Amino acid sequence: MNGELLDREPTLGEARSLAQLMAALHRHAMEWSAPAGFTRPAYDTDNVLSLPGPLKRLLELNVISGEAYACLEQTAHKIAAGLQRLTVAKSAWGLIHSDLHESNYLFDQGSPRPIDFSSCGYGFYLFDVAETFLHLSPENRREFLSAYREERQLWEIDANSLDLFFVWAILRNFAFLANNPAEHASLSELIPKVTKSYFENYLKDEPVL
């Protein structure tokens, strides 16, 4: 793919372009029929409930406290319960990139190009939005969401659903990084902060984003 990685926060215009790109990917996924034998992971309740597994290793290695791990585990179960209340409809669930952040898109003459579909799988389209939100400023998140809604409506875009998928995206990233010992030092500092800032609010049904 032609283009360059961004080494900075996207501009408002670039955030808008990213939203238009994601909406195009989702529209294509809705119309696309998988060929015979095509398999990809599913980002569903089973996936969420698998996340405490690698995170428990951090507890065993004294990277995080028992209190922090308990919060992570409770968060996973609350997310899973929330997912069970969502409707798996064609307009809401399909093939997603699931990892569209600043290292996985290039800008070529002002237009974003997606790369690295290694985590591509079946999930709620809103998971894609939340994963990208992790890497955008609050101002860019508002611009992104506004632009996405202009291109494509999602029935489940509301504050509670955004919080659920946003917290899930954070939890999944922690579980991924937990498998790399080189990340343990940074996780020992980051997890307590994020637990306090996001997960505790989520568990108390208080706003996260």
Side-chain angles (χ1 to χ4, degrees):
M1 298 292 291
N2 294 325
E4 297 179 353
L5 294 170
L6 292 184
D7 57 0
R8 52 169 174 76
E9 174 78 17
T11 65
L12 286 177
E14 288 167 340
R16 175 166 287 271
S17 296
L18 282 171
Q20 293 166 344
L21 165 65
M22 185 174 289
L25 288 172
H26 292 168
R27 285 195 303 269
H28 178 72
M30 284 183 61
E31 299 166 358
W32 180 75
S33 297
F38 181 86
T39 58
R40 293 301 300 166
Y43 297 105
D44 53 14
T45 54
D46 287 342
N47 175 267
V48 175
L49 294 175
S50 73
L51 299 179
L55 293 169
K56 191 171 185 179
R57 182 66 176 151
L58 298 180
L59 172 63
E60 294 167 349
L61 293 172
N62 294 317
V63 175
I64 60 174
S65 67
E67 183 182 8
Y69 175 75
C71 184
L72 298 175
E73 187 176 38
Q74 290 167 23
T75 298
H77 284 279
K78 184 176 175 66
I79 293 168
L83 287 175
Q84 291 176 346
R85 293 191 290 269
L86 297 180
T87 303
V88 181
K90 185 177 181 181
S91 62
W93 171 281
L95 201 61
I96 61 174
H97 184 287
S98 95
D99 201 24
L100 198 63
H101 55 74
E102 69 274 8
S103 295
N104 286 341
Y105 55 75
L106 308 172
F107 267 90
D108 181 32
Q109 298 181 8
S111 297
R113 308 284 185 234
I115 60 173
D116 191 358
F117 284 78
S118 60
S119 296
C120 178
Y122 291 99
F124 287 97
Y125 295 122
L126 197 52
F127 187 94
D128 260 351
V129 175
E131 176 65 36
T132 300
F133 266 27
L134 290 182
H135 309 271
L136 297 178
S137 68
E139 186 179 19
N140 270 333
R141 290 172 188 164
R142 289 190 288 271
E143 188 70 15
F144 183 101
L145 198 56
S146 174
Y148 186 98
R149 281 177 158 148
E150 290 174 7
E151 299 288 328
R152 184 174 180 274
Q153 292 296 319
L154 271 180
W155 63 269
E156 77 273 20
I157 291 186
D158 58 51
N160 289 335
S161 294
L162 275 174
D163 282 353
L164 181 154
F165 285 97
F166 185 74
V167 170
W168 181 6
I170 297 174
L171 195 66
R172 186 185 72 155
N173 284 345
F174 282 166
F176 174 77
L177 295 173
N179 292 312
N180 182 358
E183 299 286 351
H184 288 181
S186 61
L187 287 174
S188 69
E189 297 181 4
L190 185 59
I191 287 178
K193 293 177 182 178
V194 172
T195 296
K196 197 74 175 174
S197 301
Y198 295 115
F199 293 168
E200 289 184 5
N201 285 352
Y202 179 70
L203 290 172
K204 292 185 289 187
D205 293 320
E206 295 179 358
V208 173
L209 285 169

